[in-house]
Amino acid sequence: MRELKEKILEEGVVLSDDILKVDSFLNQQIDVELISKMGKEFAEHFKDRKIDKVFTVESSGIAPALATASELGVKCVFGRKKQSLTTSEDVYHSSVFSFTKQVMNELIVNKEFINEGENVLMIDDFLANGQAAKGMIAIIRQAGANPVGCGIVIEKSFSNGRKLIEDMDVEVYSLARIAKLEDGNIEFAE
Amino acid sequence: MRELKEKILEEGVVLSDDILKVDSFLNQQIDVELISKMGKEFAEHFKDRKIDKVFTVESSGIAPALATASELGVKCVFGRKKQSLTTSEDVYHSSVFSFTKQVMNELIVNKEFINEGENVLMIDDFLANGQAAKGMIAIIRQAGANPVGCGIVIEKSFSNGRKLIEDMDVEVYSLARIAKLEDGNIEFAE
């Protein structure tokens, strides 16, 4: 997605060879126009897959997931990273290690929101090691639903996330693929 | 907002005299059509206030904030509840006690995303004790920006949040006001 790549080059900050900061349009400040275009792009790519629901993880996945759900005319569900007082006991959960934050999170979704037989499209802001997507797939499969694809805003192609997810028989579709972060520079994979 | 009140009556679950669970359309599963209407309603109400930015707190505020920002054609910023590895040192912060989760959170926003002189509209899912809104107002004022209003999806009018925020000279506009939660029943304030 050309506009996204341009935005990454304009505003992305390479913090290390692993970490790209895109807080100015995706992770803390949200460029609603660009997010809306991302939603259209994901919806167009997955339009023949009869998507019943869009699934993401709080917080940074919510904006692109919502834009996609809006285009597809389906509901959006976000997994929570820890149990809250209002979360029912009746939940699906899986463990997800966050390399960015160096913590183990519990990904939790109320059972009533992912149903047997539903075609579920996952959307997330980043794909690196694939832990969040793997956790979402585990939950979708616990529910007897179908993980029909994984839409990613920014893929770190130098990590092994894509292989992990594809090995679970789930398609990965990324709007921008980064081959390398080095000396403050960003090199795209394609 | 009539449709919201109907949805609350249809799908809201009264967990106690304090806690209303609306996970099925606002807090975990998002009804994108209803959220979009909320955004239109907030945008219409605040349209003469020259809003430069919409500000919310992760995670449940993001969806209505994004819908509002989209209608107003401005950017949306969400405060984070704890410091992450990619958060710059250069942040505004304030402490916010969450009665729902019974924890003290640190509300953090990168300084670059709230600027001096900006008119900032706050949006949040719930207003009860007003702690989150108070924390947002503190951050907006630290930045030298103007908190021009606080748009709330569901206000618990039996709590003191509205008075707290109005005493800080900030307008509160709620889409649904709940007077009482009792014996599993929901009574609206108007």
Side-chain angles (χ1 to χ4, degrees), chain B residues 14-188:
Chain B
V14 180
L15 291 184
S16 73
D17 292 357
D18 278 335
I19 300 182
L20 172 68
K21 184 175 155 179
V22 288
D23 281 16
S24 69
F25 62 92
L26 183 61
N27 290 137
Q28 179 155 128
Q29 179 169 256
I30 301 166
D31 183 323
V32 292
E33 205 175 320
L34 186 62
I35 288 281
S36 168
K37 287 175 183 166
M38 292 176 192
K40 285 185 172 62
E41 186 82 19
F42 284 131
E44 173 63 25
H45 182 84
F46 290 104
K47 68 178 188 299
D48 297 328
R49 306 297 296 274
K50 299 190 197 319
I51 307 297
D52 294 305
K53 201 158 273 176
V54 172
F55 182 27
T56 189
V57 177
E58 64 179 355
S59 293
S60 296
I62 295 176
L66 202 62
T68 308
S70 179
E71 283 297 319
L72 291 168
V74 300
K75 288 184 177 168
C76 174
V77 174
F78 61 94
R80 293 195 170 271
K81 282 177 185 162
K82 57 179 178 182
Q83 191 123 16
S84 80
L85 284 186
T86 60
T87 305
S88 144
E89 292 300 296
D90 209 17
V91 296
Y92 296 116
H93 59 96
S94 62
S95 295
V96 175
F97 184 72
S98 166
F99 285 85
T100 317
K101 299 190 180 177
Q102 291 288 316
V103 292
M104 184 66 85
N105 288 310
E106 192 76 3
L107 175 61
I108 294 169
V109 182
N110 284 9
K111 288 192 175 174
E112 58 191 304
F113 302 138
I114 309 246
N115 303 304
E116 195 177 337
E118 280 183 336
N119 292 326
V120 181
L121 171 61
M122 294 165 280
I123 298 285
D124 212 356
D125 56 339
F126 275 97
L127 175 70
N129 299 283
Q131 296 302 300
K134 185 182 159 196
M136 285 195 279
I137 292 170
I139 281 178
I140 294 166
R141 290 189 169 149
Q142 281 173 53
N146 313 311
V148 299
C150 187
I152 297 294
V153 178
I154 302 174
E155 177 184 341
K156 295 173 178 173
S157 298
F158 52 84
S159 288
N160 58 356
R162 173 178 286 266
K163 182 169 179 350
L164 181 76
I165 304 311
E166 288 178 344
D167 284 352
M168 296 174 86
D169 285 324
V170 176
E171 182 196 349
V172 176
Y173 175 64
S174 304
L175 302 185
R177 301 183 67 190
I178 292 172
K180 200 189 270 190
L181 297 173
E182 199 175 50
D183 302 330
N185 294 314
I186 298 162
E187 190 182 300
F188 289 108

Side-chain angles (χ1 to χ4, degrees), chain A residues 68-85:
Chain A
T68 308
S70 179
E71 283 297 319
L72 291 168
V74 299
K75 288 184 178 168
C76 174
V77 174
F78 61 93
R80 291 195 171 272
K81 282 178 186 162
K82 55 178 178 185
Q83 191 124 16
S84 81
L85 284 185

Side-chain angles (χ1 to χ4, degrees), chain A residues 85-100:
Chain A
L85 284 185
T86 61
T87 304
S88 146
E89 293 300 296
D90 210 17
V91 296
Y92 297 115
H93 59 95
S94 62
S95 296
V96 175
F97 184 72
S98 165
F99 285 86
T100 317

